[in-house]
Amino acid sequence: MKRRTQLLPKYYDIDSDDAYGGYLFDLVNREHLQSDGNWLLAKPAWPDGYGNLPRHPWRFPNYLEKPRVLLEGKPGRALADLRNQDGFWFVSRAMKALLEQIDPHACEFRECETVFASGDAGPEYWLCSVTRFLFGKDVIDCGAIEGLTLRPAPNGFVDYVVYPRTKIRFKPETIGSAHLFRVVELGRSIFCDQSVKDACKTAGIKGVSFDKMGA
């Protein structure tokens, strides 16, 4: 009798789908969110040294005002449930609810002010940051990836230089129960498992792309 091969979990690079239509989107007060004009990102990026958690580049600083999102067009069109802005996400109420349900400890949220060019109030939108970080040296199977280049980084780390066609292979045994995560050495990329992809499909989430990683 043949033994069944155990199927490994599937992982994806999750991002906004630039091919999705909907409203034109603009963060109009980006230069006024912080006194130093640093837009959304906190500075310094790694205040305790590169790779030293829990403080990291994609934590929320104390903004001086709510992020203000301008939507070009008339009310009534479909709104993308996710938009990527410099490694942060802007998400709809439906996407926020999904993320909070499927992995409640992976993200933080800040309420936005959304307005149409006409001055009418827009739909509910939230600034979202995936704040869970895993270490690439723990969760990436470097020996199983083609086209991967390693580059020295501070504090004894290495950066993984990847290209659009590079398919990262993860180690599910070290990722554990995390459904949504970043990798310290991979910057602004965000990854998820199959359950997030399935939940988005079931909920009818629009404007999200999933690029499958290596098996």
Side-chain angles (χ1 to χ4, degrees):
M1 180 181 297
K2 293 183 179 181
R3 298 179 60 184
R4 293 184 177 179
T5 302
Q6 184 177 5
L7 296 178
L8 294 175
K10 297 178 183 178
Y11 295 99
Y12 301 86
D13 184 325
I14 176 174
D15 204 346
S16 55
D17 183 0
D18 293 335
Y20 182 78
Y23 296 103
L24 293 178
F25 172 100
D26 189 19
L27 176 61
V28 294
N29 64 338
R30 65 192 71 191
E31 296 180 355
H32 303 289
L33 293 173
Q34 301 187 66
S35 58
D36 53 10
N38 276 326
W39 296 22
L40 294 170
L41 199 64
K43 297 289 185 180
W46 292 97
D48 303 314
Y50 181 87
N52 287 331
L53 301 173
R55 298 201 292 176
H56 56 75
W58 283 274
R59 69 197 189 281
F60 281 130
N62 293 320
Y63 297 127
L64 300 177
E65 56 191 56
K66 288 183 179 180
R68 183 178 175 87
V69 176
L70 176 66
L71 301 176
E72 295 287 350
K74 296 180 180 180
R77 298 173 61 187
L79 176 71
D81 288 297
L82 187 151
R83 298 294 298 265
N84 190 330
Q85 178 81 52
D86 301 323
F88 292 92
W89 288 347
F90 287 88
V91 299
S92 66
R93 176 171 55 185
M95 188 66 180
K96 178 178 182 285
L98 183 149
L99 295 173
E100 289 177 320
Q101 179 180 10
I102 200 167
D103 201 342
H105 303 295
C107 303
E108 293 182 357
F109 301 91
R110 295 290 185 273
E111 188 177 7
C112 298
E113 179 184 355
T114 310
V115 64
F116 289 101
S118 63
D120 295 328
E124 185 176 330
Y125 233 34
W126 294 80
L127 179 62
C128 170
S129 181
V130 176
T131 55
R132 175 185 289 122
F133 267 91
L134 304 178
F135 291 99
K137 59 187 177 65
D138 297 330
V139 300
I140 294 178
D141 187 354
C142 293
I145 305 173
E146 296 182 4
L148 179 68
T149 301
L150 304 182
R151 182 173 58 195
N155 292 0
F157 285 83
V158 296
D159 281 338
Y160 301 95
V161 182
V162 297
Y163 303 95
R165 294 184 179 275
T166 303
K167 299 299 181 182
I168 299 168
R169 182 168 179 175
F170 289 111
K171 300 177 182 178
E173 65 274 15
T174 53
I175 291 177
S177 61
H179 299 298
L180 193 69
F181 58 92
R182 297 182 193 262
V183 174
V184 168
E185 301 91 333
L186 286 176
R188 63 183 60 188
S189 296
I190 300 172
F191 303 95
C192 71
D193 65 6
Q194 185 69 42
S195 64
V196 177
K197 186 174 186 291
D198 291 344
C200 286
K201 182 178 180 180
T202 300
I205 296 297
K206 305 295 183 183
V208 185
S209 68
F210 297 90
D211 182 18
K212 186 180 177 183
M213 296 291 95

